[in-house]
Amino acid sequence: MEPRVIITLHTVLLWKHRIHLILLLLQLSLPEVAASCRILRCNSDFVAATLDLGSSGGGGPGGAAGGAALSREVVNAGYCSALRSYAMCTKRMARACRGDLAYHSAVQGIEDLLIQHRCPRAGPTAQPRPLPQGTLSGDTCLYEKSFHSREGRAPEYLYCGVFGDPHVRTFNNDFQTCAVQGAWPLIDNEYLFIQATSLPTRGGTYGTVLTKISIIFKNMRQCTEQQLYRAELDNVPAAFADGSVSSGERRGHHSLTVQTQSPGRHAEIRAAHIGTLLVVRQSGRSLSLSVRSPRSIVEAFGPEQDLQLCVWGCPPSQRLDTLHPLPPDSSPSAAITAHAHCAAVLPARDVYYQACVFDLITSGDLNSSVAAVSALQDAGNMISGRERVHLLLVASAEQRPHLTLLLLPLGMLGTLTST
């Protein structure tokens, strides 16, 4: 009997060890299943934290606003803070990402950059902005629904369009052409940050075009984490920087989604939690952006967010006279050709027609008219009330080069196009 008892006891102990081992493995694996490797999120946060540091040179917003460019010491300190935050993010992902090559590449890259920039291991980290509060009704994360429940009506939407040289139609329906170069903020409020980069056109005298657009949807803990979208010339992805096409899943819907009608050249981003629609597209050899957003979102910014091209337009020193562009070769035939071509592709002699003529004359490229045509189409799709789509641009002798905008009813289109 004793041998059998020993064998039975040994078997029971063996199975107990196996059960404990299985439970331990399950305990270790469950968090890993719930928190799969998200190294791309760490990458996206690092890019967002260093976005302003990379554009702090003379052509960026600091120079335009009259302030001095950031010193090398300040930039390096900010970069080191971002690197330390990046390192902390990768440490949190260590278990879920231990078999991911991108994770190990990021860890090694951070180590190299810390050494290269002589960053102390201990020190401040990049701090996120305070989370905006009070916009949502309950936890629906659907702006239109919560606004209607709260106010009993639909929200008022505002529109901004940036395209071509670049031309800016502000949320207040001002229309300006900017001479800006480098990185400039288009929108900077508590929910959204959009930065556009303009570079000189090839062979142009003073013309510039949009070559890069960066969009940051800021963290809203009820609805979505911070998300980054970036488009460059010849690369307009239908996905966020972390490779996802949606974010912030809640109760069967997503707060952020990306889709496209023309892969590589068009992206439509819907931000349901802030009721905002954005369209990024490449038209010819430049990028363009159209934004429709509720007034309460557009106006949610503080006094320190004082440079937004979509809100106030270009700084006065950066505005160009759209009605009187100078052709590169000073040839009258260039203006005649430009007017004829733009009249053929656009329905009215409004601000989009003037922008088209300006772009053709300054660039000498007939294909540049595509930017104005696409911008008008996007405005028509986003602005409610067809009579509000067209704007008439006029300049008096006393106000030139300052420009005055008047609304153009559709009833006037026949008169305008026949002149």
Side-chain angles (χ1 to χ4, degrees):
M1 292 293 293
E2 289 185 4
R4 183 174 297 180
V5 171
I6 294 174
I7 293 172
T8 304
L9 182 60
H10 175 75
T11 304
V12 170
L13 291 174
L14 182 61
W15 275 107
K16 281 186 177 180
H17 283 301
R18 288 182 178 178
I19 290 171
H20 284 307
L21 180 60
I22 291 171
L23 290 174
L24 179 61
L25 290 174
L26 285 173
Q27 186 178 3
L28 292 174
S29 63
L30 283 175
E32 189 171 330
V33 172
S36 58
C37 183
R38 303 181 70 188
I39 184 60
L40 292 177
R41 173 71 65 190
C42 297
N43 300 346
S44 175
D45 289 344
F46 174 71
V47 171
T50 57
L51 198 61
D52 289 335
L53 298 176
S55 60
S56 59
L70 296 178
S71 68
R72 180 177 299 178
E73 291 77 11
V74 172
V75 171
N76 197 65
Y79 197 76
C80 288
S81 296
L83 280 173
R84 285 189 288 265
S85 295
Y86 197 4
M88 290 175 60
C89 185
T90 58
K91 287 180 181 178
R92 291 194 297 269
M93 299 290 178
R95 177 181 295 178
C97 296
R98 60 175 176 264
D100 191 281
L101 292 177
Y103 166 79
H104 292 288
S105 297
V107 170
Q108 185 58 52
I110 294 169
E111 188 69 22
D112 293 341
L113 288 172
L114 286 169
I115 295 172
Q116 178 183 338
H117 290 269
R118 300 179 180 178
C119 297
R121 301 289 173 170
T125 56
Q127 297 296 320
R129 297 176 66 95
L131 297 176
Q133 301 292 334
T135 295
L136 299 177
S137 174
D139 59 351
T140 60
C141 293
L142 293 173
Y143 182 89
E144 291 184 355
K145 180 179 179 180
S146 60
F147 185 93
H148 191 275
S149 298
R150 191 169 63 249
E151 304 290 338
R153 60 181 177 86
E156 177 188 0
Y157 287 99
L158 304 179
Y159 172 83
C160 174
V162 185
F163 66 97
D165 198 3
H167 311 285
V168 180
R169 176 173 178 164
T170 73
F171 287 124
N172 297 315
N173 279 326
D174 294 324
F175 190 86
Q176 300 166 359
T177 297
C178 306
V180 295
Q181 293 188 25
W184 290 70
L186 302 179
I187 296 175
D188 182 13
N189 58 47
E190 295 305 311
Y191 307 94
L192 191 62
F193 177 79
I194 302 178
Q195 179 173 279
T197 301
S198 298
L199 295 178
T201 57
R202 295 179 180 178
T205 53
Y206 52 85
T208 58
V209 293
L210 293 180
T211 59
K212 183 185 296 184
I213 295 174
S214 300
I215 304 172
I216 298 176
F217 296 92
K218 298 180 182 179
N219 193 341
M220 288 186 66
R221 69 163 60 93
Q222 307 100 320
C223 301
T224 185
E225 298 177 355
Q226 177 175 286
Q227 188 61 275
L228 171 68
Y229 177 86
R230 172 173 284 175
E232 298 184 15
L233 205 60
D234 297 323
N235 181 24
V236 181
F240 294 107
D242 63 3
S244 65
V245 296
S246 62
S247 181
E249 195 280 331
R250 188 177 180 86
R251 297 187 179 183
H253 74 271
H254 291 88
S255 293
L256 292 171
T257 56
V258 185
Q259 60 185 12
T260 183
Q261 298 173 353
S262 178
R265 301 183 67 86
H266 167 272
E268 180 179 295
I269 307 172
R270 292 186 179 272
H273 64 297
I274 54 174
T276 298
L277 173 65
L278 306 95
V279 173
V280 181
R281 68 170 74 246
Q282 179 167 333
S283 302
R285 296 304 304 163
S286 68
L287 298 178
S288 66
L289 174 72
S290 293
V291 181
R292 186 190 68 183
S293 190
R295 179 179 290 278
S296 61
I297 299 297
V298 169
E299 296 179 349
F301 58 85
E304 75 282 359
Q305 296 161 302
D306 59 352
L307 184 60
Q308 303 182 60
L309 300 192
C310 272
V311 177
W312 292 289
C314 322
S317 63
Q318 300 291 320
R319 297 175 189 175
L320 299 175
D321 185 357
T322 308
L323 289 177
H324 301 84
L326 297 175
D329 57 1
S330 299
S331 170
S333 62
I336 296 174
T337 301
H339 280 278
H341 179 79
C342 293
V345 297
L346 289 164
R349 298 197 177 186
D350 58 0
V351 293
Y352 296 97
Y353 171 85
Q354 293 292 345
C356 174
V357 172
F358 183 92
D359 291 349
L360 261 62
I361 291 177
T362 55
S363 69
D365 181 11
L366 290 179
N367 291 326
S368 63
S369 63
V370 179
V373 174
S374 298
L376 177 58
Q377 292 174 347
D378 287 337
N381 293 332
M382 290 188 177
I383 298 175
S384 60
R386 295 181 60 192
E387 71 280 356
R388 299 174 56 232
V389 174
H390 296 271
L391 297 173
L392 177 63
L393 183 64
V394 295
S396 66
E398 295 80 18
Q399 291 181 313
R400 190 177 301 152
H402 299 288
L403 305 176
T404 304
L405 285 165
L406 300 175
L407 288 177
L408 174 64
L410 281 181
M412 297 172 59
L413 292 185
T415 305
L416 288 170
T417 54
S418 63
T419 58

